Amino acid sequence: MSPSAVPDTADTPSAMREVVLVTGISGSGKSVALHALEDAGYFCIDNLPPELLPAFLSIERNRFDRRVAIAVDVRSAGSLPHLLPLLDRLRGEGVAIRALFLDASTDALVRRFSESRRPHPLSTLPAASLPAGTDPASDGRRALVDAIELERELLAELREVSTVIDTSQLRPAQLRQWLRDLVGAQRGGLTLVFESFAFKHGVPLDADYVFDVRVLPNPFYIRELRPLTGRDAGVAAYLEAQPEVPEMLQQIGDFIERWLPAFEDDQRSYLTVAIGCTGGQHRSVYLAEQLSRRFAARSATLLRHRELDARE
């Protein structure tokens, strides 16, 4: 079946439940994601060639009680150029597809491949399997970093239309929980994701907006507040007493309020707002909590604390 050969309307899975498409950079945690979805009750398929997607969904159309998750990645490199048009066609036929893209920094990916001692899929992929115009190394193998960068190029367009999860700093347990939150979020409108983080561990790759709150007074330097977090009453009381904090909180909230309708009109599924401070413990956590409360009545919201969640 050719990539554009979608079944006739009579065979189109228009009444299917939502299909979760899991993709992303090799080494970013797709196996962990699939296992998490499987534990959540999804029927999961790994590395399904895109050409087979319409036929598979046509078969699934009569199984309304089964939730489906499908992983597609660079192992099907030759078919990737056909995937985006295919997804548009299927959505036009009424199939609800939620695309999740797992990403990670190059340093994190290199470390993971080194620890696992597994080759990158593109390092041994035959040249004939790559999209036209790709120039494989003359010896048939690629340096790991070169392979990762090539993979980013091949998946760039798919990343643009997906909900991105940065797994660079995530433990497997965190990724599993964040995935369950994402697939469990109410659909039908834009979901706001507020995420606190520490600049010393890097800016989240999945952030649509990043706000730096390191200029605010730091509770870390108050001895009794140092072991606490932005979720504790003592830290909240200290920050609320600093004039700059309510002002910045108001300005960030007003900015989001101003531009949220534009993102909704753009048919976005998620908007991730990342709030960063030095350690990801006090200021960023407090502001993310407050912003989540402000917008809870306005939109579906998810709340993440990257550094705090890593401790739990």
Side-chain angles (χ1 to χ4, degrees), residues 163-177:
T163 299
V164 180
I165 304 176
D166 177 13
T167 70
S168 305
Q169 302 290 334
L170 299 187
R171 295 180 294 108
Q174 281 179 273
L175 177 56
R176 287 192 288 268
Q177 183 58 55

Side-chain angles (χ1 to χ4, degrees), residues 124-176:
T124 55
L125 200 64
S129 300
L130 296 172
T134 302
D135 183 21
S138 58
D139 61 0
R141 300 185 64 86
R142 298 177 180 278
L144 179 55
V145 172
D146 290 340
I148 292 171
E149 294 309 312
L150 173 60
E151 184 176 21
R152 292 195 192 280
E153 293 178 18
L154 294 174
L155 298 177
E157 291 185 358
L158 185 57
R159 187 186 192 279
E160 286 296 316
V161 299
S162 303
T163 299
V164 180
I165 304 176
D166 177 13
T167 70
S168 305
Q169 302 290 334
L170 299 187
R171 295 180 294 108
Q174 281 179 273
L175 177 56
R176 287 192 288 268

Side-chain angles (χ1 to χ4, degrees), residues 82-147:
H82 306 298
L83 183 55
L84 283 178
L86 179 58
L87 294 179
D88 290 339
R89 180 72 178 273
L90 289 170
R91 284 171 173 143
E93 296 288 348
V95 182
I97 299 176
R98 185 190 302 222
L100 303 179
F101 190 101
L102 274 60
D103 203 350
S105 67
T106 298
D107 287 344
L109 295 171
V110 169
R111 184 179 67 251
R112 292 171 189 175
F113 276 107
S114 299
E115 291 172 351
S116 67
R117 298 187 178 181
R118 295 180 58 191
H120 189 281
L122 289 181
S123 65
T124 55
L125 200 64
S129 300
L130 296 172
T134 302
D135 183 21
S138 58
D139 61 0
R141 300 185 64 86
R142 298 177 180 278
L144 179 55
V145 172
D146 290 340

Side-chain angles (χ1 to χ4, degrees), residues 7-17 55-65:
D8 293 334
T9 305
D11 295 325
T12 299
S14 57
M16 282 186 60
R17 284 189 171 192
F56 171 75
L57 295 182
S58 182
I59 294 172
E60 283 292 310
R61 65 187 173 88
N62 293 321
R63 295 172 176 166
F64 303 130
D65 60 336

